[in-house]
Coordinates of all heavy atoms in Angstrom, one line a residue:
L82 N 13.6 -3.7 -14.8 CA 14.3 -4.6 -15.7 C 15.5 -3.9 -16.3 O 15.5 -2.8 -16.7 CB 13.3 -5.0 -16.9 CG 12.0 -5.7 -16.5 CD1 11.2 -6.0 -17.7 CD2 12.3 -7.0 -15.7
D83 N 16.6 -4.6 -16.2 CA 17.9 -4.1 -16.6 C 18.1 -4.5 -18.1 O 18.8 -5.4 -18.5 CB 19.0 -4.7 -15.8 CG 20.4 -4.1 -16.1 OD1 20.3 -3.0 -16.7 OD2 21.4 -4.6 -15.8
E84 N 17.4 -3.7 -19.0 CA 17.5 -3.9 -20.4 C 18.0 -2.6 -21.1 O 17.6 -1.6 -20.7 CB 16.2 -4.4 -21.0 CG 15.7 -5.7 -20.5 CD 14.4 -6.1 -21.1 OE1 14.2 -5.8 -22.3 OE2 13.6 -6.8 -20.5
P85 N 18.7 -2.7 -22.2 CA 19.2 -1.5 -22.9 C 18.1 -0.8 -23.5 O 17.1 -1.4 -24.0 CB 20.2 -2.1 -23.9 CG 19.7 -3.5 -24.1 CD 19.2 -4.0 -22.8
S86 N 18.2 0.5 -23.6 CA 17.2 1.4 -24.3 C 17.3 1.2 -25.8 O 18.4 1.0 -26.3 CB 17.4 2.8 -23.9 OG 16.7 3.7 -24.7
S87 N 16.1 1.3 -26.4 CA 16.1 1.1 -27.9 C 16.0 2.5 -28.5 O 15.4 2.7 -29.6 CB 14.9 0.3 -28.3 OG 13.7 0.8 -27.9
F88 N 16.5 3.6 -27.9 CA 16.3 4.9 -28.3 C 16.9 5.1 -29.7 O 16.3 5.7 -30.6 CB 17.0 5.9 -27.4 CG 16.7 7.4 -27.7 CD1 15.6 8.0 -27.2 CD2 17.6 8.0 -28.6 CE1 15.4 9.4 -27.5 CE2 17.4 9.4 -28.9 CZ 16.3 10.0 -28.4
Y89 N 18.1 4.6 -29.9 CA 18.8 4.8 -31.2 C 18.0 4.2 -32.3 O 17.8 4.8 -33.4 CB 20.2 4.2 -31.1 CG 20.9 4.1 -32.5 CD1 21.5 5.3 -33.1 CD2 21.0 2.9 -33.1 CE1 22.1 5.2 -34.3 CE2 21.7 2.8 -34.4 CZ 22.2 4.0 -35.0 OH 22.8 3.9 -36.2
L90 N 17.6 2.9 -32.1 CA 16.9 2.2 -33.2 C 15.5 2.9 -33.4 O 15.1 3.0 -34.6 CB 16.6 0.8 -32.7 CG 17.8 -0.1 -32.6 CD1 17.5 -1.5 -32.0 CD2 18.5 -0.3 -34.0
T91 N 14.9 3.4 -32.4 CA 13.6 4.1 -32.6 C 13.8 5.4 -33.3 O 13.0 5.8 -34.3 CB 13.0 4.4 -31.2 OG1 12.8 3.2 -30.5 CG2 11.6 5.1 -31.4
L92 N 14.9 6.2 -33.0 CA 15.1 7.4 -33.7 C 15.5 7.2 -35.2 O 15.0 7.9 -36.1 CB 16.3 8.1 -33.0 CG 16.8 9.4 -33.7 CD1 15.7 10.5 -33.5 CD2 18.0 10.0 -33.0
R93 N 16.3 6.1 -35.4 CA 16.7 5.8 -36.8 C 15.4 5.4 -37.6 O 15.3 5.8 -38.8 CB 17.7 4.7 -36.8 CG 18.3 4.4 -38.2 CD 19.4 3.5 -38.2 NE 19.0 2.1 -37.7 CZ 19.9 1.1 -37.6 NH1 21.1 1.2 -37.9 NH2 19.4 -0.1 -37.2
G94 N 14.6 4.6 -37.0 CA 13.4 4.2 -37.7 C 12.5 5.4 -38.0 O 11.9 5.5 -39.1
G95 N 12.4 6.4 -37.1 CA 11.6 7.5 -37.3 C 12.1 8.4 -38.4 O 11.4 8.9 -39.2
V96 N 13.5 8.6 -38.5 CA 14.1 9.4 -39.5 C 13.8 8.8 -40.9 O 13.4 9.5 -41.9 CB 15.6 9.5 -39.3 CG1 16.3 10.1 -40.5 CG2 15.9 10.3 -38.1

Side-chain angles (χ1 to χ4, degrees):
L82 299 178
D83 187 18
E84 296 184 33
S86 168
S87 58
F88 185 92
Y89 170 76
L90 294 173
T91 304
L92 179 65
R93 186 173 64 177
V96 169

